[in-house]
Amino acid sequence: MLFNSIHFLLLFLPVTLAAFYCATLVSQGLAKIVLIVASIIFYTVWMPANLWVLLGSTVVTYLLALGILLEHDRGRPERRKLLLVIGLVFNLLLLGYFKYTPFLVETANEVFSLSRTIPRIVLPLGISFFTFQKIAFLIDVYDRQVGKVSFLDYCLFVFFFPQLIAGPIVHHREIIPQLEKRSFGVKEVELYTGITLLVIGLAKKVLIADTLAGTQIAGFQALAQGNAIGFGGAWMTMLSATLQIYFDFSGYSDMAVGLALMFGIRLPLNFNSPFKASNLVELWARWHMSLTRFLTAYIYNPIVMAVSRRWAASGRPLPKKGRVTVAGYFAIIAFPTVATMVLAGIWHGAGFQFLMFGLLNGVMMAICHGWRQFVQARGWAGNEPGFTKPMAVVATFIAFLFTLVFFKAPSLSVGIQMVANMLGQHSVSTTVNILDIGLIAILLGVVWFLPNSQEIVALSTQKRPAALSSGIQANLQRYLTWQPSAGWAMAMGTLGFVSLIGIVIGRESPFLYFQF
Amino acid sequence: MKKYLPILLMTMLAFSSGTAAVLAFAGRATNSTMPVREMARRQMKDPKVIALPFDLTYWGDYKLGMAALQRPDVILVGPSRASQVRSDMFRPYSFYNMALTAWNIDQTTEMLEEVFRRFRPRVAIVDMDYFMFSEPYVKSVKARDMWFNAPVRYELDILPQILKEWTSNPSYFDRAFSDRRRQDRPELERSLGFAALRGANGFRKDGSYQHGQATFDQSVEKLKINEGILQAIPGAPKVSDVQLQKLSKLADLAKKNGVILIGIQFPMWQETVKVLDTDQKYRQSSGVWREFQSDEMQGRFEKLGIAFFDLSRDPVTTEYRNFIDAAHPSERGMLVSLISLSKNAKFLSILPELDTRGLENDLARADGSNDAFTIYGDAH
């Protein structure tokens, strides 16, 4: 079921909310059961065939976690480790089978000139997300960072529908303590804040992201058919695509956080004005924040630890006070960064274009780290004039836009074609619609100068970059700070209505991250 | 604070009510929201009317109304493949074409049950294609189950459609409103449903489907896609036992009501038949096609009391004029098929008075005027 479908918004959500509210009056256990059942219905309506993957992997992971705890109590570390390895392999194999088998068979056919039939495997919705959640849970159980969790709470942590299909990738420490609280249930302020976020997110998706979809689809289709689209066409395509991804994912994240709040659960923020970032490292700390956090904790840090141990074991000096040698930088900083981002790229999808997406981001992030290490840390930079910060923001945006070419392209070759067109390699004259340019300019203004949703509803405590916080912006922010007032209620009611009309007129298109 | 949610909801409700009222008015003014039974009554009065309820799940209800008003000797129930059969092809019997109301055996049975509750024709012809015995296909058309007697649902469903239509084709509504102001609206009065007026598509009084000229203009191009039907229709390795059981129930239903049941597999473009017969890539999926044509299967149909006729390899399949696309015979294709059937002793024993000579004359006339698609004329 889509968040942006009439059935979800006008039927599933009100019924679930009412049932949940009534259940909380009886007992918290019943309320949790209501949410679990609703989440299973939410998942099943879309793709009933793959429910067994979600249910089966959830139960197996829980049993393995219990086993790990038991073996710890019995003082048998080898068995504990074995159970962890089984759990990791089981979850990764499941993800690998469903997500990567067709790609691997296709690649093997091409490389070894084989003619094996490419299996048609339906990707279980959200498998990339719930697999990560379960892996994190298992590792933390192994590390004794989490004790025994009731099966009901664990199921709700995995199944909870606002985050089930496309994240945020929640950590058990963020969710399970909330479920164990006596106050778990619907709260007035959170309900209203949640509804407001839901409406804002819906509007971003339906009124902005879906409107931008047409231009970029046409551009990529033309390239896939072997036609050049020229410099102007390529830039319009990629600007539309970039803003579409931005508003689609931002809209989804707002809706997910808002929906969870309506049920009294706070999900971690997932999207915090990433295009206001002045370098790619900062951008990734603001874009798909829960994924970045997972990658840092469970992939990047272990790689850094392993490399650092080897580095130290070989007698070479570890970085001290931020000072690092060139060799140390490559081994301890650049390599883990690139490796992590390549894995992140492949996580997004099975295809060489996703690998390129990850690689480009990794390399550019490594360069950012290098700049910090070798330029800023040595005091060679720091007193730049005021305009350099906005320039850095724009440069970061353009750099990220180039990487998104490979995120959106149906294949690596189409991605390369797009870059070639953007660099003016194909002199094809294209007519660029002035209205499209105007729309993109307005949306870039929104992205760069307006407060984001969590700032509007005062969920975020993160300060916005100082260079962009002018007096006008401060006033705007004050004016745009949400209050549960009649004016805001009418504004949100109007926006909600217009968004619903947008759904009726357009079509219910899935969020881009649903394909992962 | 406490009023936040009520105000938000009331705002949405106020806008929604206003919009619904405007859409309902627009719907009435343009005949778009006309109930299906009313469409049937209007069409009975004026044979030049074409009607098309906005969503195919309501076509069964509309056609049921038309059939009940006409009470024909012969009815035909099936998918779009049978949509070009005209009442004139069954002279001197009265005939009503209920095509585009049933895509699998369950839906066919349901349509016949609804018909038999209202009247009993002498003969019921059902489209019996091989793919109706493929489980994946049957599941793929499940969403087309008909809604009968659901006026409230119809009204609720149609308002968003009017909005969609209005925003994507505003000129239609502009024209409809200006026609209304001028009190000069023959086109509007004779096209019931916005889809009918927009595309000049819709059901004629005899239940056949009137296509816009654009469909015919593209027919030769479409015939180049031999596998077209196969991409759209999932096959299966074998005939489904479940569907055979359902066919048995369908046959029992006809028997119980004293109605003769004829099953026809209508023609398919010869190149498509070739793909089904010989394409190795499709071999696994075409198992159902081969088994359906086996002697054993024909014997089963006979035992069930179904007079089955397979036109998929008839000479009619060799001429492009006989098709709109690979799966859809044209009016000429259907006329040639009827002539062929009328020379079959078994078919003729069921409909002995069928005017074969008249049909041959119609064909000669059509060929003389080089018309393959509208031999018996359009409604308007």
Side-chain angles (χ1 to χ4, degrees):
Chain A
M1 204 180 281
L2 294 169
F3 289 167
N4 56 324
S5 69
I6 296 288
H7 287 109
F8 176 83
L9 293 165
L10 300 186
L11 186 66
F12 178 86
L13 182 59
V15 169
T16 305
L17 196 59
F20 176 71
Y21 180 73
C22 294
T24 53
L25 300 177
V26 180
S27 76
Q28 287 199 346
L30 185 63
K32 289 171 188 173
I33 291 170
V34 165
L35 271 188
I36 291 170
V37 171
S39 300
I40 290 174
I41 292 170
F42 170 82
Y43 189 84
T44 312
V45 164
W46 189 315
M47 198 74 77
N50 282 327
L51 181 63
W52 68 268
V53 180
L54 175 64
L55 294 180
S57 65
T58 303
V59 171
V60 169
T61 304
Y62 184 72
L63 292 175
L64 286 167
L66 284 186
I68 291 170
L69 287 174
L70 195 69
E71 294 303 338
H72 180 268
D73 292 345
R74 288 176 180 167
R76 293 192 287 206
E78 293 81 17
R79 287 201 176 189
R80 219 174 98 228
K81 194 167 193 171
L82 179 67
L83 287 174
L84 171 71
V85 171
I86 291 171
L88 294 181
V89 170
F90 168 74
N91 277 293
L92 289 174
L93 275 182
L94 216 54
L95 178 67
Y97 170 75
F98 282 104
K99 194 157 179 174
Y100 301 106
T101 305
F103 169 67
L104 291 175
V105 173
E106 197 180 344
T107 308
N109 280 348
E110 278 176 24
V111 174
F112 302 110
S113 303
L114 302 173
S115 55
R116 291 198 182 273
T117 311
I118 298 167
R120 283 186 188 176
I121 298 171
V122 180
L123 186 69
L125 280 171
I127 189 167
S128 306
F129 294 90
F130 61 70
T131 301
F132 270 22
Q133 259 168 248
K134 282 183 277 200
I135 286 175
F137 180 72
L138 272 178
I139 292 173
D140 288 351
V141 167
Y142 177 81
D143 287 342
R144 296 296 293 164
Q145 290 184 31
V146 55
K148 197 177 173 194
V149 173
S150 84
F151 186 61
L152 206 60
D153 287 352
Y154 168 75
C155 283
L156 186 51
F157 154 66
V158 177
F159 294 158
F160 187 42
F161 72 87
Q163 51 84 49
L164 179 59
I165 309 284
I169 302 170
V170 292
H171 198 275
H172 57 86
R173 272 179 303 205
E174 291 159 335
I175 301 299
I176 289 172
Q178 294 188 57
L179 305 179
E180 288 167 345
K181 272 187 189 167
R182 283 181 174 275
S183 57
F184 171 62
V186 179
K187 289 169 212 78
E188 200 176 13
V189 179
E190 290 185 343
L191 176 68
Y192 298 164
T193 313
I195 291 173
T196 306
L197 270 177
L198 179 73
V199 171
I200 294 173
L202 184 67
K204 283 181 186 173
K205 164 68 179 161
V206 177
L207 304 179
I208 303 176
D210 289 353
T211 308
L212 290 166
T215 314
Q216 54 95 6
I217 288 171
F220 278 107
Q221 271 175 353
L223 287 179
Q225 288 161 4
N227 303 320
I229 55 175
F231 179 81
W235 275 97
M236 281 306 290
T237 300
M238 274 321 296
L239 283 166
S240 301
T242 303
L243 288 168
Q244 187 213 2
I245 298 168
Y246 179 95
F247 282 102
D248 190 281
F249 193 38
S250 164
Y252 169 80
S253 299
D254 287 349
M255 291 180 85
V257 173
L259 284 165
L261 265 183
M262 290 166 75
F263 293 91
I265 295 177
R266 271 182 181 251
L267 293 183
L269 297 184
N270 208 28
F271 206 82
N272 187 23
S273 299
F275 291 164
K276 288 175 184 167
S278 56
N279 61 65
L280 266 183
V281 176
E282 189 194 346
L283 186 145
W284 273 98
R286 291 160 161 263
W287 176 284
H288 209 328
M289 295 153 78
S290 60
L291 173 69
T292 307
R293 193 184 49 175
F294 179 92
L295 293 172
T296 307
Y298 297 99
I299 297 176
Y300 177 81
N301 286 346
I303 295 176
V304 170
M305 296 270 279
V307 171
S308 300
R309 277 195 205 110
R310 282 191 164 204
W311 189 259
S314 67
R316 283 172 284 189
L318 285 170
K320 273 184 191 166
K321 292 180 184 172
R323 292 289 177 120
V324 64
T325 60
V326 173
Y329 158 77
F330 276 108
I332 299 169
I333 298 173
F335 168 69
T337 305
V338 175
T340 304
M341 290 313 292
V342 165
L343 285 174
I346 296 170
W347 174 86
H348 277 92
F352 290 111
Q353 69 274 32
F354 289 106
L355 192 144
M356 179 63 92
F357 167 69
L359 184 66
L360 285 176
N361 271 291
V363 169
M364 287 197 277
M365 286 170 79
I367 292 170
C368 288
H369 284 306
W371 177 267
R372 280 184 188 168
Q373 291 295 332
F374 299 115
V375 180
Q376 288 183 340
R378 284 168 170 76
W380 296 343
N383 294 320
E384 301 91 348
F387 63 82
T388 53
K389 185 84 178 195
M391 278 175 65
V393 170
V394 174
T396 303
F397 171 78
I398 292 171
F400 190 60
L401 179 146
F402 269 98
T403 73
L404 283 179
V405 167
F406 296 95
F407 182 90
K408 285 295 290 181
S411 66
L412 184 62
S413 59
V414 171
I416 292 169
Q417 279 301 308
M418 178 63 81
V419 172
N421 278 272
M422 289 169 74
L423 296 176
Q425 295 294 305
H426 297 281
S427 53
V428 178
S429 64
T430 42
T431 316
V432 179
N433 190 337
I434 192 80
L435 287 176
D436 288 342
I437 296 174
L439 177 66
I440 284 171
I442 290 169
L443 293 177
L444 284 174
V446 170
V447 164
W448 277 327
F449 299 109
L450 289 189
N452 63 35
S453 311
Q454 54 261 27
E455 287 168 337
I456 289 172
V457 298
L459 269 184
S460 171
T461 51
Q462 186 162 342
K463 282 184 183 169
R464 288 159 48 247
L468 292 174
S469 296
S470 65
I472 299 169
Q473 275 182 263
N475 284 337
L476 253 180
Q477 182 142 9
R478 238 191 329 275
Y479 190 66
L480 287 175
T481 300
W482 174 80
Q483 293 159 6
S485 62
W488 270 96
M490 280 194 273
M492 287 299 111
T494 308
L495 193 61
F497 168 77
V498 174
S499 302
L500 286 179
I501 292 288
I503 296 174
V504 171
I505 292 172
R507 63 187 179 87
E508 293 165 359
S509 62
F511 290 95
L512 294 173
Y513 265 78
F514 274 28
Q515 62 186 299
F516 308 130
Chain B
M1 164 72 105
K2 289 226 175 285
K3 288 178 184 165
Y4 185 78
L5 189 57
I7 293 174
L8 189 149
L9 293 177
M10 288 302 289
T11 307
M12 289 184 79
L13 194 66
F15 277 118
S16 304
S17 309
T19 308
V22 171
L23 292 176
F25 171 75
R28 294 269 179 272
T30 55
N31 287 334
S32 300
T33 48
M34 186 181 283
V36 288
R37 297 293 165 86
E38 176 59 21
M39 273 189 187
R41 277 191 288 274
R42 284 265 197 113
Q43 197 168 30
M44 282 303 289
K45 281 185 200 159
D46 183 354
K48 285 191 178 297
V49 160
I50 57 165
L52 194 63
F54 75 98
D55 187 272
L56 65 79
T57 54
Y58 297 102
W59 292 354
D61 204 14
Y62 149 75
K63 287 210 161 184
L64 204 56
M66 286 297 288
L69 290 169
Q70 295 184 32
R71 294 180 163 261
D73 301 320
V74 183
I75 59 165
L76 189 163
V77 176
S80 56
R81 269 166 51 69
S83 69
Q84 297 305 300
V85 180
R86 304 294 300 265
S87 57
D88 286 318
M89 294 177 191
F90 281 86
R91 289 181 319 239
Y93 300 101
S94 56
F95 169 84
Y96 184 71
N97 188 340
M98 301 184 80
L100 282 155
T101 60
W103 286 262
N104 59 32
I105 297 168
D106 269 342
Q107 291 162 352
T108 306
T109 308
E110 192 184 17
M111 268 322 284
L112 287 184
E113 278 172 347
E114 293 290 337
V115 169
F116 297 162
R117 270 190 211 124
R118 288 158 179 83
F119 72 99
R120 282 170 193 164
R122 202 166 78 74
V123 177
I125 300 173
V126 294
D127 185 304
M128 256 171 72
D129 291 310
Y130 78 92
F131 47 78
M132 287 185 171
F133 297 85
S134 148
E135 280 301 332
Y137 166 78
V138 170
K139 281 181 194 142
S140 73
V141 293
K142 178 86 183 74
R144 298 178 186 177
D145 284 357
M146 293 291 145
W147 285 92
F148 294 103
N149 219 358
V152 176
R153 190 181 191 280
Y154 184 81
E155 285 278 337
L156 288 176
D157 271 2
I158 202 168
L159 291 182
Q161 292 303 318
I162 293 177
L163 180 63
K164 210 179 233 183
E165 190 69 21
W166 204 343
T167 47
S168 56
N169 292 299
S171 60
Y172 155 59
F173 279 87
D174 293 349
R175 202 170 68 226
F177 282 126
S178 62
D179 284 351
R180 183 183 163 81
R181 277 195 297 276
R182 288 204 312 268
Q183 300 297 311
D184 168 27
R185 36 192 291 199
E187 196 186 0
L188 185 61
E189 291 296 344
R190 285 182 176 157
S191 301
L192 307 182
F194 49 72
L197 183 58
R198 176 179 11 102
N201 292 331
F203 295 112
R204 303 183 187 98
K205 192 185 171 189
D206 66 1
S208 62
Y209 193 85
Q210 176 176 312
H211 287 285
Q213 185 57 39
T215 306
F216 304 134
D217 293 342
Q218 295 160 3
S219 68
V220 175
E221 279 303 308
K222 282 184 186 166
L223 283 176
K224 289 179 185 165
I225 313 166
N226 302 325
E227 301 88 345
I229 182 175
L230 310 179
Q231 285 163 358
I233 299 172
K238 63 189 283 293
V239 163
S240 156
D241 289 334
V242 175
Q243 297 308 316
L244 281 174
Q245 282 168 13
K246 288 180 175 174
L247 184 70
S248 169
K249 281 185 189 161
L250 173 65
D252 287 346
L253 176 72
K255 264 184 225 157
K256 206 172 81 184
N257 285 279
V259 176
I260 299 167
L261 190 62
I262 293 177
I264 299 179
Q265 172 154 257
F266 283 101
M268 263 179 270
W269 175 233
Q270 59 171 358
E271 297 300 325
T272 302
V273 172
K274 244 185 236 171
V275 173
L276 278 166
D277 281 341
T278 58
D279 194 315
Q280 287 304 308
K281 272 188 264 168
Y282 198 70
R283 186 143 187 90
Q284 178 79 353
S285 298
S286 60
V288 61
W289 159 257
R290 287 188 295 278
E291 193 181 344
F292 182 75
Q293 296 191 323
S294 66
D295 291 342
E296 189 204 335
M297 207 49 67
Q298 311 291 312
R300 277 183 93 147
F301 298 154
E302 205 167 318
K303 261 190 203 161
L304 291 173
I306 301 171
F308 178 69
F309 303 93
D310 187 354
L311 301 176
S312 63
R313 293 175 192 277
D314 208 75
V316 64
T317 62
T318 59
E319 267 205 66
Y320 73 88
R321 284 184 296 175
N322 293 334
F323 290 92
I324 296 170
D325 62 36
H328 293 92
S330 63
E331 214 167 287
R332 186 183 191 280
M334 287 305 190
L335 179 56
V336 176
S337 299
L338 255 293
I339 292 170
S340 167
L341 284 169
S342 70
K343 289 175 181 167
N344 181 308
K346 190 164 74 172
F347 192 81
L348 209 54
S349 71
I350 299 168
L351 297 166
E353 292 168 40
L354 205 62
D355 181 10
T356 311
R357 181 67 59 81
L359 294 178
E360 284 170 342
N361 289 340
D362 292 344
L363 182 63
R365 180 173 47 80
D367 287 351
S369 61
N370 208 15
D371 183 5
F373 300 115
T374 53
I375 297 169
Y376 295 101
D378 270 345
H380 63 257

